[in-house]
Amino acid sequence: DITPGIAFTYYSDFGSQTFPGIDLGYELAKDLKIYGNLGYTYRIPTYTDLYYSDPTTLGNPDLVPESALTGELGIKWTKKNIFLEFAAFSRNAEDLIDYVKENEDEKWQAENIQQVKTNGLEATIDYRFRVKNFEQKIGFGYAFLDDEIENSDFNFSRYSLNSLKNQINIVYESQFFKHVRQRISYRYADRPAADHYQVFDASLTGNFKNLELSAVFNNIFSEIYTETNLVPMPEFNFMLGLKYIFR
């Protein structure tokens, strides 16, 4: 499979840009396939990046668009009830927009970081099986990222150097009764600017003719952690849902 493509954008403030790309795929065997892609991406600064300010953050009206060359190479294998996928990728970004500062007590300010190189890999394994004629699924995923900022004069970065370094996801989706299914998930993650953390979630869903009842439980053990923007995430919380389908 060969799928070329091209994107064209025009903005009155930033002019026109053309970005080509290509997707490739080759079937080595009936259940084994390799794939790859290569392309350019482009992002203009948002209104928030340009003009928004608050007690801790400053916009920057002099920002220029960011661009990047991305590439990926991967392999997929599917055999009956097993699915495996492995991929390695790279992204070289120019003029990446980030919020940075030189001293810890200063405000975060939007700036164009000259160049950021990101390399990474991800692996996925899904296994399906049946218990009493009900389908079960166990999924495992791992992702690794390595960011490198070149030619930067800033000591603190809110986003570019705080992406996930390592992340592990384990999910078990099960059903043992006709009208009820459940899901349990575990996530481990660590970031360069924070400690690692572990989060457990669970959900329960019941279907009775046209009625669906659900209960979702997030961060069951009240792990204290932050996401990319360094905002603390909620401790244990839950949501109850009711859905009625009619025709």
Side-chain angles (χ1 to χ4, degrees), residues 11-244:
Y11 295 95
S12 58
D13 290 344
F14 302 107
S16 60
Q17 297 286 339
T18 302
F19 297 93
I22 188 169
D23 292 320
L24 304 171
Y26 185 76
E27 194 174 78
L28 298 172
K30 184 178 179 181
D31 47 19
L32 184 64
K33 182 178 182 178
I34 59 173
Y35 64 90
N37 57 71
L38 185 68
Y40 286 91
T41 60
Y42 176 77
R43 185 177 81 87
I44 66 168
T46 65
Y47 179 87
T48 299
D49 297 331
L50 293 169
Y51 305 116
Y52 176 77
S53 295
D54 61 29
T56 61
T57 307
L58 290 175
N60 184 354
D62 297 323
L63 292 174
V64 299
E66 65 179 49
S67 60
L69 173 63
T70 63
E72 181 183 25
L73 183 64
I75 187 168
K76 294 179 181 181
W77 181 67
T78 305
K79 190 71 173 181
K80 293 183 179 178
N81 52 348
I82 300 178
F83 172 78
L84 300 176
E85 182 175 7
F86 178 84
F89 53 87
S90 179
R91 183 176 189 265
N92 292 332
E94 299 282 349
D95 296 317
L96 187 71
I97 299 170
D98 192 10
Y99 286 82
V100 295
K101 56 185 178 180
E102 294 183 13
N103 301 306
E104 193 168 0
D105 56 352
E106 294 179 345
K107 292 185 177 182
W108 294 103
Q109 181 161 14
E111 293 285 354
N112 288 105
I113 297 178
Q114 293 183 357
Q115 187 173 1
V116 178
K117 292 184 177 180
T118 302
N119 297 307
L121 58 87
E122 56 184 357
T124 301
I125 303 174
D126 288 339
Y127 175 65
R128 297 177 182 272
F129 60 99
R130 302 187 75 84
V131 174
K132 296 181 180 180
N133 294 322
F134 295 116
E135 186 173 276
Q136 322 290 316
K137 176 185 173 183
I138 298 177
F140 172 85
Y142 171 74
F144 168 80
L145 282 178
D146 179 55
D147 289 324
E148 180 183 349
I149 294 183
E150 297 185 356
N151 303 321
S152 176
D153 298 326
F154 304 102
N155 296 320
F156 298 92
S157 163
R158 179 180 284 181
Y159 300 122
S160 297
L161 289 183
N162 197 33
S163 55
L164 287 170
K165 189 78 172 179
N166 295 282
Q167 180 172 233
I168 297 173
N169 288 291
I170 302 175
V171 177
Y172 177 39
E173 298 177 1
S174 60
Q175 184 173 0
F176 303 106
F177 303 99
K178 182 177 180 180
H179 300 290
V180 181
R181 63 184 187 274
Q182 49 275 334
R183 183 178 189 271
I184 300 174
S185 66
Y186 164 80
R187 181 164 66 102
Y188 168 89
D190 74 90
R191 301 179 185 276
D195 295 331
H196 64 270
Y197 56 87
Q198 305 177 78
V199 178
F200 291 83
D201 300 323
S203 65
L204 190 67
T205 305
N207 290 282
F208 308 93
K209 294 184 178 180
N210 296 346
L211 187 65
E212 179 180 286
L213 302 174
S214 63
V216 180
F217 305 94
N218 300 309
N219 197 2
I220 295 173
F221 298 106
S222 294
E223 184 79 355
I224 297 175
Y225 68 102
T226 61
E227 285 293 358
T228 355
N229 54 6
L230 304 180
V231 174
M233 299 300 292
E235 297 184 28
F236 170 71
N237 61 93
F238 67 91
M239 179 176 65
L240 302 178
L242 172 64
K243 182 191 295 184
Y244 183 78

